[in-house]
Amino acid sequence: MNMNMKNRISDKVTHTFSTSNGVRAVLTTALLSIATAAFAGEKVDKTIDTSSSPKVDIEHIDGKADIRVWDKAQVRVTGELGDQTEEFIFEKRGDVVVIHVEVEHHSKSWYQKSRDGDDLIIYVPSASDLHYTAVNADVIAKGITKAVDVEVVNGNVTLESIGERVEVESVNGDILLKNVKGRLEAGTVNGDIEATHEGTTPVSFTAVNGKLDIASSSPDVSVETVNGRIDLSLQNIDSLQINTVNGRTFAKLGLNANGSIKANSVGGAMEFIFQDDVSAQFDIETHAGGNIVNNVSGEKAQKPKYGPGSWLRFIHNGGAANVDISTVHGRIEIDQK
């Protein structure tokens, strides 16, 4: 698990927002821009013409953003700026639309979430490539059919009907993913992840303190937690990797021929439910206690004459796939539908 997620996101966001105060002067005629000094509570409603598939780069410190799609080759920003806003930047650089909201960095509370942050509604073409970064903000994005990359430090993220590629990270906040397609990577330090996904590309989820509730048709799934429950509803798996320290794991899945499951825990219970005709070689082990329950076949777990631990090894229906599950002192149960 990437235990440096919090530092990496924080460093990146700090670097992103470390621009100088004052209004940027845009002098080149090749650059279409709107960059003006902003006032607390100022309302904005501005539009820039783009292609039908622009790159959109959004950065702000505090507040919330509601990102919506429409059928125009334009990007539009409406809403109200926050009480610490100093500059609003809306520029087109080639085919990249830049939306940056600068705040008073000299203020002691610029990094703290306030009640009166930016409240923005942003309209983009559905085929946009979106990159969004914020420090203290909640973001909602719906309907984007290309790539979406979201990074927040403190805030909740909701993505719905997103396609092709999704990368989302939050340090403190929940992540809700609805009807996401294509490649997916999601991670949080303190927060839950709930996702429904369709597609055959790999998906991965990480959480330090939080629950993972995942439904996916991907054949390649990876999940990692430290403290948090894992609930997986999967279809036909080629590769499933699970790593957890403390937290219950429940997985319901179909296992393909030549598929592989590798699952490890320290103290969390793990339960796997396979299809009725699963063909696999099972290798299950507890190291310092724990318990193994086998509802797939009649084989029983064995224990050493001296010392803790137990193991269960058997081949079922020809052993086409591999199932390798281990725990230090948790409970492992395998079953069929």
Side-chain angles (χ1 to χ4, degrees):
M1 179 183 298
N2 183 3
M3 300 301 296
N4 294 318
M5 182 192 300
K6 184 173 182 178
N7 290 335
R8 181 164 62 84
I9 299 176
S10 298
D11 290 346
K12 184 170 184 179
V13 173
T14 300
H15 174 73
T16 298
F17 290 105
S18 61
T19 56
S20 60
N21 292 330
V23 180
R24 294 179 181 177
V26 183
L27 303 177
T28 173
T29 57
L31 180 66
L32 174 63
S33 68
I34 302 169
T36 60
F39 301 95
E42 180 180 345
K43 295 186 182 298
V44 295
D45 189 349
K46 300 182 183 297
T47 302
I48 284 179
D49 293 333
T50 70
S51 70
S52 60
S53 56
K55 293 183 178 180
V56 182
D57 183 65
I58 303 169
E59 295 179 359
H60 70 138
I61 297 291
D62 190 13
K64 60 183 178 179
D66 184 351
I67 303 170
R68 307 174 183 179
V69 299
W70 62 355
D71 58 1
K72 300 179 181 180
Q74 295 175 322
V75 172
R76 179 188 178 196
V77 182
T78 68
E80 186 173 316
L81 300 176
D83 58 356
Q84 296 184 45
T85 297
E86 190 170 73
E87 184 179 12
F88 172 71
I89 300 170
F90 188 23
E91 300 177 345
K92 183 180 178 185
R93 303 171 184 171
D95 201 30
V96 180
V97 177
V98 176
I99 304 169
H100 291 182
V101 183
E102 306 287 353
V103 301
E104 301 174 4
H105 287 203
H106 58 270
S107 169
K108 292 182 179 179
S109 60
W110 73 269
Y111 54 86
Q112 297 174 347
K113 196 167 187 176
S114 70
R115 297 179 183 178
D116 301 316
D118 309 316
D119 188 356
L120 304 176
I121 299 176
I122 302 168
Y123 298 87
V124 301
S126 61
S128 297
D129 184 340
L130 172 69
H131 179 80
Y132 174 90
T133 304
V135 178
N136 301 300
D138 299 327
V139 58
I140 299 173
K142 298 181 180 180
I144 298 174
T145 59
K146 295 296 184 180
V148 173
D149 184 357
V150 174
E151 298 178 9
V152 299
V153 177
N154 301 304
N156 299 321
V157 179
T158 300
L159 304 179
E160 185 174 344
S161 299
I162 306 294
E164 198 166 280
R165 180 180 61 80
V166 175
E167 296 181 13
V168 54
E169 294 180 343
S170 175
V171 176
N172 299 300
D174 297 332
I175 298 173
L176 176 60
L177 307 171
K178 299 180 180 180
N179 190 30
V180 173
K181 300 179 181 180
R183 189 177 184 90
L184 170 60
E185 297 179 20
T188 180
V189 177
N190 299 303
D192 300 332
I193 300 177
E194 181 180 346
T196 56
H197 168 268
E198 293 183 5
T200 58
T201 52
V203 297
S204 66
F205 306 90
T206 61
V208 177
N209 300 301
K211 177 183 176 182
L212 301 180
D213 189 352
I214 312 299
S216 176
S217 62
S218 172
D220 188 344
V221 179
S222 173
V223 295
E224 301 182 30
T225 67
V226 176
N227 300 301
R229 178 185 172 102
I230 299 172
D231 282 303
L232 302 176
S233 178
L234 308 175
Q235 296 186 22
N236 299 318
I237 287 294
D238 290 328
S239 175
L240 172 61
Q241 297 187 45
I242 299 174
N243 291 289
T244 182
V245 177
N246 298 304
R248 183 177 181 272
T249 297
F250 175 84
K252 186 175 182 180
L253 66 144
L255 182 58
N256 290 332
N258 300 316
S260 173
I261 294 177
K262 294 184 180 295
N264 300 280
S265 79
V266 176
M270 294 189 289
E271 182 179 355
F272 294 83
I273 300 179
F274 301 92
Q275 73 269 32
D276 284 336
D277 59 347
V278 62
S279 174
Q281 180 174 344
F282 290 85
D283 188 347
I284 302 173
E285 187 172 8
T286 69
H287 297 280
N291 186 31
I292 300 174
V293 178
N294 178 15
N295 296 320
V296 172
S297 71
E299 284 83 355
K300 302 296 183 181
Q302 301 180 54
K303 295 180 178 292
K305 187 174 182 180
Y306 303 103
S310 60
W311 67 89
L312 174 64
R313 298 181 179 89
F314 68 96
I315 294 174
H316 189 67
N317 281 345
N322 292 297
V323 177
D324 187 344
I325 308 171
S326 67
T327 183
V328 176
H329 53 80
R331 181 177 185 271
I332 299 172
E333 181 175 350
I334 56 173
D335 207 337
Q336 297 181 103
K337 295 179 184 177

